[in-house]
Amino acid sequence: MSVKKLKECDRLSLALSDMKLPTRLVLLALTVMLVLVMLLVLSSIGAVDKARSRASFMTGYYAFRTGLQHIPIIHFKTMYLPSRFTLLPELLKRQGYATHVVGKSVAMLFARRAVEIIDNHNPKKPLFLYLPLQAVHSPIENGATPEYAGNNWPLRGGKFSLWEGGTRVPGFVYSRTLLKKTGYTSNELIHAVDWFPTILHLAGKSAGDHVDGLNLWRTLSEGEPSPRTEFVYNIDEVDQNAAIRMGDYKLIVGEPGRFNDWYPLPQNGTPLPEEYPLWKLGRFQKLFPEYQLYNVKDDPTEKNDLAEEHPELVQTMLQRLKRYQRLVVPSQNPGVSAASLPHNFGGVWSPGWC
């Protein structure tokens, strides 16, 4: 069986329009199968940018356990996913899968490459295709970025924040034969780390109990309640902020991030009105209380801070968060390295520091 992932909604139809019908159907079936991968079935995911999300998806561990919890991997910084982690494709190879990654820039080129892989693949061998498309990267990935015309309304905040607008991602799962329950909406909790053991389960292998992720296949395929009752959005010891969800409640510690308001939908394609300059979009931090508590089931737009009403719950969640903080790996936050600059490699970027 093959399970595919589409991490970013993209104008895939443009690349599909000139393909033969069987190829289009196969590609759509394969990529659509896990458009949840960045996470969740309409629930909070806890991964605030692309590096954190991918690290969680590929390893089954929270990003703060990999050292990638602070900033994305940038081409001119000496950052990496430590080699001590065994990645999902490595384990799938051991199960007999052919594995490919196609992405994440130049969306049309990569869409065609994905089709080529599928067309040329031996159907007798299972296939895992990781296809993170890029065309709408800044506007929508991991929560939309308001300054790049992205919008998370009515949720609060945006990318690079701990608010629901920066972490909650809708998605869907597709299969012709594997889903016992179809055509329904689920509000169960799913985090990026859960895809690692879930996909391995489909491939006939257990992820073990050392990872942070849980096998949620019965939740997805049969509509059963999720065994996940809590997750960590992130713990960033550099920015000195963190967030955890337990049941219906979410605790934010410290400054939530870069975008902190509710941003109206643009009207008729027009830009935001003049009363929304960049500083109102969150360029400059506001002052927030040390702890904020929200019931994100009843108040998904995070307008009613309940911290003062429920101090005991705040302390309970803080103690739980401290248990996770003991597992934090120091953030990778290196300076700029000139070794990767294009003039060293014939005009293209390269990880020349390796």
Side-chain angles (χ1 to χ4, degrees):
M1 121 99 211
S2 54
V3 179
K4 311 302 167 220
K5 160 184 172 292
L6 175 65
K7 249 178 55 156
E8 303 156 52
C9 297
D10 200 291
R11 296 173 183 175
L12 189 58
S13 58
L14 296 178
L16 297 172
S17 60
D18 59 352
M19 300 174 191
K20 295 179 180 179
L21 181 59
T23 297
R24 291 202 299 267
L25 293 177
V26 170
L27 179 59
L28 284 173
L30 294 177
T31 55
V32 160
M33 190 167 275
L34 293 181
V35 171
L36 254 172
V37 170
M38 217 146 194
L39 300 227
L40 94 179
V41 188
L42 302 177
S43 226
S44 300
I45 67 177
V48 196
D49 66 38
K50 51 187 176 291
R52 292 171 233 195
S53 301
R54 290 178 183 140
S56 296
F57 172 69
M58 286 294 184
T59 67
Y61 287 94
Y62 288 122
F64 63 80
R65 300 186 66 181
T66 69
L68 295 175
Q69 65 267 34
H70 179 54
I71 57 176
I73 294 177
I74 302 174
H75 48 272
F76 50 76
K77 289 184 177 254
T78 56
M79 300 178 65
Y80 55 92
L81 182 64
S83 60
R84 67 178 179 274
F85 294 101
T86 302
L87 303 186
L88 177 60
E90 296 180 75
L91 294 172
L92 289 175
K93 277 188 176 181
R94 298 174 190 175
Q95 296 300 107
Y97 277 68
T99 61
H100 297 268
V101 56
V102 181
K104 107 173 188 346
S105 301
V106 196
M108 300 300 292
L109 173 64
F110 287 149
R112 289 190 171 92
R113 174 56 182 152
V115 171
E116 179 183 331
I117 290 173
I118 295 169
D119 283 344
N120 294 327
H121 180 71
N122 180 357
K124 294 182 180 180
K125 185 174 185 177
L127 170 68
F128 174 83
L129 173 62
Y130 176 75
L131 179 62
L133 295 171
Q134 173 263 352
V136 287
H137 171 214
S138 290
I140 70 166
E141 189 190 79
N142 307 99
T145 308
E147 64 182 312
Y148 291 118
N151 196 278
N152 304 298
W153 183 267
L155 299 178
R156 186 176 186 175
K159 187 172 181 177
F160 301 115
S161 80
L162 294 169
W163 301 110
E164 295 297 285
T167 59
R168 180 180 289 227
V169 181
F172 59 92
V173 173
Y174 170 85
S175 173
R176 283 187 175 182
T177 59
L178 295 176
L179 301 178
K180 295 182 179 180
K181 183 178 180 180
T182 61
Y184 73 103
T185 298
S186 172
N187 291 296
E188 298 297 321
L189 289 183
I190 297 179
H191 188 280
V193 295
D194 298 327
W195 287 110
F196 185 91
T198 301
I199 293 175
L200 282 179
H201 167 77
L202 288 171
K205 182 176 179 60
S206 171
D209 57 5
H210 60 282
V211 298
D212 295 315
L214 301 174
N215 174 14
L216 301 186
W217 180 240
R218 294 182 67 176
T219 299
L220 299 176
S221 63
E222 302 178 29
E224 291 194 0
S226 172
R228 177 169 293 286
T229 59
E230 69 178 37
F231 63 77
V232 179
Y233 289 80
N234 196 37
I235 301 173
D236 190 327
E237 80 281 15
V238 178
D239 288 341
Q240 298 185 338
N241 65 11
I244 186 173
R245 177 162 173 175
M246 295 175 61
D248 296 336
Y249 288 90
K250 172 181 179 179
L251 178 69
I252 300 176
V253 179
E255 296 284 332
R258 180 174 175 182
F259 300 102
N260 295 297
D261 283 324
W262 300 266
Y263 307 104
L265 290 168
Q267 299 297 316
N268 299 321
T270 59
L272 290 174
E274 293 183 0
E275 60 266 29
Y276 290 95
L278 285 181
W279 68 268
K280 282 193 174 182
L281 293 178
R283 284 281 192 177
F284 301 97
Q285 299 297 329
K286 298 181 177 182
L287 294 178
F288 289 92
E290 184 177 8
Y291 306 124
Q292 298 179 78
L293 180 69
Y294 297 93
N295 183 325
V296 288
K297 180 181 179 181
D298 296 338
D299 177 28
T301 58
E302 297 170 292
K303 293 184 177 180
N304 302 306
D305 183 0
L306 304 174
E308 292 187 1
E309 297 179 31
H310 301 286
E312 299 86 359
L313 180 56
V314 169
Q315 290 304 313
T316 297
M317 296 180 74
L318 272 176
Q319 292 305 311
R320 185 63 177 165
L321 188 59
K322 287 180 180 179
R323 293 181 59 182
Y324 286 107
Q325 287 174 326
R326 292 196 289 266
L327 302 174
V328 170
V329 173
S331 292
Q332 296 183 37
N333 190 25
V336 173
S337 170
S340 64
L341 296 179
H343 69 260
N344 295 322
F345 301 95
V348 297
W349 289 98
S350 175
W353 49 266
C354 296

